[in-house]
Amino acid sequence: GMSSAGLYESVVGVPANNAAEVSLAVATVWASLYTRRAVLSRRVAGVPQPAACMSVLIQELHVPELSFVLHTARPSDGNRGVLLAEVAPGQGETLASGARGTPWRFEVDKAARKIRTMAFANFSKALTAPPRGRTGLMSVDVDYSKQRLSTDESYRQQVVLQLSQAGSLIEEAFQGVPQDVEGGLVPVQGPGGKIESYLYVFQTRPQH
C-alpha cells in the first residue's frame, strides 16, 4: 500500500448552487489522479496504474482560525501515553503544503494532563479560504502579536487540553488504535453575538 495524503488535488470555495462549477471542480480532482507526481508515486510504491481509481468527496467548507494535526501516540517512539499536537494559523493546507515555517507544537501527557510546549509557530504566511465567489486558497500575512496561542498562556493551555481530550476520545472510539487526526478551531457566532471557537474534526485515520 501507499499513503496518498496530499498527493491529489483539492478545490475549495466552490459555490454549491452552481452545478457547472461543482462539475468542473470534480473533474479537476479526478484529473489529478494522472499528474506526473501521482503516476511516479504509484510506480515507486509498486501500485499498478490500471488499479488506480478515485472517488471525490464533496463537503461543506469550514474556515478555521487554527488548524491542527494530532498524533495520539508520540511519533518519535510510539509512546501511547503522549499525544503530539501541531497547530497552524488558517486552513490545514498551511501545515500540509510544506510551507516554510514551524507550527505550534505541543506534547501532552494524557494521564497527567501535563503540557510541554515544544515550539511556537513562525509561518510568515497562512493559507485561508477565498472570499465568496472565488476558488483556491489565499496566502495572507500572519501577525503573531494577535495570535492568542502565542500571547496568552491560559488560552494556550485551554486549547491544547481540549485538543488532547478530543484525540483521546477519538482513539477510544477506534478501540485504542493510535490515530492521526486533522481538524480546526472554527469561529462561530454564539448567543448574544459572542464569537466562540468550535472544534471540528475533519478526518481521522490509523497512525503509521
Side-chain angles (χ1 to χ4, degrees), residues 31-162:
S32 69
L33 189 64
Y34 302 104
T35 62
R36 175 180 172 81
R37 177 167 169 252
V39 170
L40 291 178
S41 294
R42 290 194 295 269
R43 182 180 299 170
V44 169
V47 177
Q49 300 303 331
C53 57
M54 177 188 287
S55 296
V56 177
L57 174 65
I58 300 174
Q59 59 187 16
E60 181 181 357
L61 175 65
H62 291 289
V63 184
E65 56 187 357
L66 297 171
S67 294
F68 61 82
V69 174
L70 309 177
H71 302 279
T72 64
R74 186 165 58 192
S76 61
D77 60 4
N79 186 339
R80 296 191 178 196
V82 178
L83 174 143
L84 174 68
E86 294 184 317
V87 186
Q91 299 288 127
E93 283 79 357
T94 306
L95 278 170
S97 66
R100 183 174 298 177
T102 300
W104 289 282
R105 189 172 290 124
F106 309 97
E107 286 188 350
V108 184
D109 181 318
K110 291 189 280 188
R113 293 170 56 85
K114 184 177 180 180
I115 299 169
R116 180 184 177 197
T117 301
M118 310 290 291
F120 282 84
N122 62 8
F123 292 105
S124 59
K125 301 279 188 181
L127 295 173
T128 189
R132 185 177 297 276
R134 293 177 55 187
T135 60
L137 294 174
M138 296 174 51
S139 180
V140 298
D141 293 330
V142 182
D143 181 354
Y144 285 99
S145 70
K146 298 178 180 177
Q147 293 289 333
R148 291 182 66 194
L149 210 60
S150 287
T151 63
D152 186 335
E153 183 177 357
S154 176
Y155 173 77
R156 186 164 57 246
Q157 293 276 325
Q158 173 190 330
V159 167
V160 175
L161 287 176
Q162 182 183 22

